[in-house]
């Protein structure tokens, strides 16, 4: 009999030569438990997903209740499904009034694809402006707006008419013109290793888009649902985008994504052509039920309000001569080391000692820390002590 480990390498498609290959039996709160009886602190939330922790009882209950009623009924958009309707209403309540219409999908990259199509259809323009070092997903449209050549080169040709500009480069804003359908940006660049734009740059970007009737799409896939110390990352800049995308932490551990805009903009997807953007499983009722409970937990447990204090604790406890710098916005944290080799060595030591940390795709010399927002002060202290002991 082959072990699960052997079967994993033989039959499950691999994304790299060296997957972590931990075999997890169960997960609860900030902890993962493997089949050998080891426990791990998940300090990356399965990459910014488990904001309310793994298997939060309220989320699990909501899933169970919905499964008893119905799972998939029909392709997205045809039937009135109460979990979708209630979730869409909650979103319109917690977002600025212009972001009042939600198109549900399954993942972050699908949300990107939908948002780009929406902007092209609404403006009748084709030019897309994206940012150097941006990550918006792995499908063809998302790859076209990825600001990193290494990960794109093997998959060309990609979308035409895409131009790249730089965070905080005021001069680059001149490229936004009446030909521009949209500008797409993360509110904080995640895979680039937590790169935070200036407030004034984001305000100017917003103005420049408005002046040219180009839509501003802000990607909240990694920053949404409290991670940065605000419910949505864009709230850090005092601006309102035309479209946002959500996924990852949105479903409370279930697969769910969305692109959200105004009723007026979103309406253009309903005709000419009819069914111009469709999805079978988008807004799955079980995922939506989980997402409702997830938002309720974030609100009831006042998780967003505690993020800044917890961020400060990481800064307090993570002091070591090997650390070159720490960049953070809330609980999205990058610890910079001299080079990739040192970082990888420390990461693997941490995992061996039961603290799961990671690197960033475009910043392999930086350690990723993005814990569940429910992590306690003591757990932060313990986890940081382990990390320091690995340097
Ligand atoms: N946008 C951002 C900012 C992301 O970080 C990611 C995932 N790392 C995506 C989009 C894509 O999400 P998904 O993996 O669900 O397609």
């Amino acid at each position: 009999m082959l072990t699960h480990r052997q079967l994993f390498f033989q039959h499950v498609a691999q994304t790299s030569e060296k997957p972590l290959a931990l075999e997890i039996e169960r997960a609860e709160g900030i902890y993962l438990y493997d089949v050998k009886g080891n426990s791990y602190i998940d300090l990356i939330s399965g990459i910014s997903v488990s904001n309310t922790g793994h298997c939060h009882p309220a989320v699990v209950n909501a899933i169970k209740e919905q499964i008893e009623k119905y799972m998939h009924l029909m392709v997205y958009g045809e039937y009135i499904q109460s979990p979708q309707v209630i979730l869409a209403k909650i979103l319109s309540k917690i977002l600025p009034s212009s972001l009042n219409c939600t198109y549900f999908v399954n993942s972050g990259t699908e949300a990107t694809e939908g948002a780009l199509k929406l902007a092209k259809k609404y403006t009748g323009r084709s030019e897309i402006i994206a940012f150097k070092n941006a990550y918006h997903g792995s499908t063809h449209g998302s790859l076209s707006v990825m600001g990193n050549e290494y990960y794109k080169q093997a998959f060309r040709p990609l979308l035409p008419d895409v131009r790249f500009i730089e965070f905080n480069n005021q001069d680059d804003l001149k490229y936004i013109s009446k030909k521009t359908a949209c500008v797409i940006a993360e509110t904080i660049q995640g895979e680039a290793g937590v790169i935070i734009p200036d407030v004034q740059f984001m305000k100017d970007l917003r103005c420049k888009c408005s002046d040219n009737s180009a839509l501003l799409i802000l990607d909240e896939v990694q920053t949404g649902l409290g991670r940065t110390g605000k419910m949505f990352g864009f709230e850090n800049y005092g601006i309102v985008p035309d479209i946002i995308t959500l996924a990852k932490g949105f479903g409370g551990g279930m697969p769910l994504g969305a692109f959200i805009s105004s009723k007026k903009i979103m309406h253009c997807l309903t005709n000419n052509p009819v069914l111009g953007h469709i999805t079978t499983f988008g807004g799955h009722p079980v995922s939506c039920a989980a997402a409702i409970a997830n938002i309720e937990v974030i609100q009831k447990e006042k998780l967003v309000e505690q993020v800044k204090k917890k961020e400060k604790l990481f800064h307090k406890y993570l002091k070591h001569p090997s650390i070159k710098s720490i960049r953070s916005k809330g609980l999205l944290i990058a610890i910079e080391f001299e080079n990739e080799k040192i970082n990888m060595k420390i990461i693997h030591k941490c995992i061996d000692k039961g603290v799961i940390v990671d690197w960033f795709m475009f910043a392999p010399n930086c350690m990723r820390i993005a814990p569940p927002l429910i992590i306690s002060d003591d757990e932060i202290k313990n986890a940081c002590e382990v990390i320091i002991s690995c340097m």
Side-chain angles (χ1 to χ4, degrees):
M1 262 270 280
L2 293 178
T3 63
H4 284 174
R5 189 183 170 82
Q6 287 165 323
L7 291 168
F8 171 74
F9 282 103
Q10 201 159 325
H11 296 297
V12 179
Q14 298 295 316
T15 58
S16 78
E17 305 280 356
K18 284 188 190 157
L20 287 174
L22 295 174
E23 191 175 351
I24 302 301
E25 198 167 57
R26 69 188 179 87
E28 194 183 332
I30 68 159
Y31 297 97
L32 305 179
Y33 300 91
D34 76 7
V35 289
K36 295 177 197 150
N38 300 312
S39 69
Y40 300 85
I41 294 178
D42 181 3
L43 222 53
I44 53 173
S45 308
I47 311 292
S48 300
V49 171
S50 315
N51 287 13
T52 54
H54 292 274
C55 295
H56 193 289
V59 175
V60 172
N61 273 340
I63 291 168
K64 283 184 182 161
E65 276 178 24
Q66 182 54 39
I67 282 175
E68 296 285 326
K69 291 181 195 154
Y70 58 83
M71 293 188 266
H72 177 78
L73 295 179
M74 177 56 170
V75 297
Y76 174 74
E78 295 295 332
Y79 294 172
I80 300 165
Q81 303 186 31
S82 64
Q84 281 178 359
V85 179
I86 293 166
L87 179 55
K89 180 169 170 250
I90 292 172
L91 289 167
S92 70
K93 255 180 106 175
I94 61 176
L95 281 162
S97 60
S98 58
L99 296 170
N100 58 9
C101 191
T102 297
Y103 193 115
F104 290 109
V105 291
N106 303 281
S107 66
T109 200
E110 279 179 76
T112 304
E113 299 287 343
L116 294 177
K117 279 175 70 182
L118 176 60
K120 286 170 81 175
K121 178 82 187 343
Y122 182 74
T123 59
R125 304 172 183 174
S126 60
E127 183 185 73
I128 298 169
I129 295 187
F131 281 85
K132 290 174 188 160
N133 290 316
Y135 185 87
H136 300 288
S138 206
T139 53
H140 269 88
S142 302
L143 206 53
S144 305
V145 290
M146 179 192 282
N148 181 288
E149 198 47 37
Y150 171 76
Y151 288 100
K152 284 164 54 154
Q153 55 185 1
F155 303 104
R156 289 188 189 284
L158 296 169
L159 277 181
D161 248 357
V162 181
R163 183 193 279 276
F164 288 90
I165 62 175
E166 243 173 13
F167 262 11
N168 298 337
N169 185 336
Q170 292 288 336
D171 197 42
D172 274 359
L173 295 179
K174 67 173 181 266
Y175 294 114
I176 301 168
S177 74
K178 300 264 185 247
K179 283 196 294 191
T180 311
C182 61
V183 177
I184 182 166
E186 292 155 272
T187 53
I188 288 156
Q189 289 188 327
E191 294 312 319
V194 188
I195 305 298
I196 306 163
D198 295 339
V199 173
Q200 193 54 46
F201 178 78
M202 292 302 268
K203 285 192 195 294
D204 293 346
L205 172 64
R206 171 66 278 184
C207 280
K208 193 74 186 181
C209 287
S210 301
D211 290 349
N212 288 282
S213 307
L215 299 188
L216 177 60
I217 303 172
L218 291 184
D219 180 331
E220 295 278 3
V221 169
Q222 199 152 172
T223 48
L225 284 302
R227 176 136 313 269
T228 70
K230 304 271 185 196
M231 193 57 134
F232 301 98
F234 68 78
E235 293 171 44
N236 291 297
Y237 308 102
I239 57 168
V240 178
D242 299 297
I243 306 174
I244 65 162
T245 58
L246 285 180
K248 286 193 179 280
F250 183 35
M254 292 290 280
L256 186 64
F259 55 103
I260 304 175
S261 188
S262 67
K263 180 83 188 138
K264 180 175 167 227
I265 294 173
M266 201 65 92
H267 182 70
C268 77
L269 288 181
T270 60
N271 57 53
N272 191 28
V274 63
L275 306 182
H277 192 74
I278 49 177
T279 161
T280 300
F281 284 125
H284 193 284
V286 180
S287 296
C288 287
I292 294 167
N294 185 53
I295 293 175
E296 283 170 0
V297 168
I298 292 174
Q299 290 175 329
K300 264 193 211 143
E301 297 186 12
K302 301 210 180 307
L303 295 180
V304 184
E305 292 82 342
Q306 301 167 40
V307 164
K308 290 231 150 65
K309 184 192 81 181
K310 293 177 181 178
E311 174 188 16
K312 281 198 186 118
L313 290 179
F314 277 99
H315 282 267
K316 179 176 164 195
Y317 297 129
L318 288 175
K319 290 207 166 78
H320 192 277
S322 300
I323 297 173
K324 272 190 74 183
S325 74
I326 300 182
R327 291 187 296 275
S328 67
K329 191 78 186 170
L331 289 175
L332 186 54
I333 304 170
I335 314 290
E336 187 188 358
F337 294 102
E338 190 62 41
N339 57 47
E340 175 178 349
K341 209 173 144 202
I342 294 173
N343 187 32
M344 294 302 174
K345 210 170 133 190
I346 298 168
I347 289 171
H348 287 293
K349 270 197 198 169
C350 288
I351 297 172
D352 284 346
K353 287 195 178 183
V355 173
I356 300 183
V357 286
D358 196 21
W359 48 288
F360 294 92
M361 276 176 89
F362 310 152
N365 64 325
C366 295
M367 178 188 285
R368 178 199 303 268
I369 296 182
L373 310 185
I374 57 160
I375 192 167
S376 71
D377 295 1
D378 283 346
E379 287 164 339
I380 292 173
K381 186 166 185 272
N382 293 343
C384 289
E385 277 169 11
V386 174
I387 295 171
I388 293 290
S389 76
C390 294
M391 288 179 194

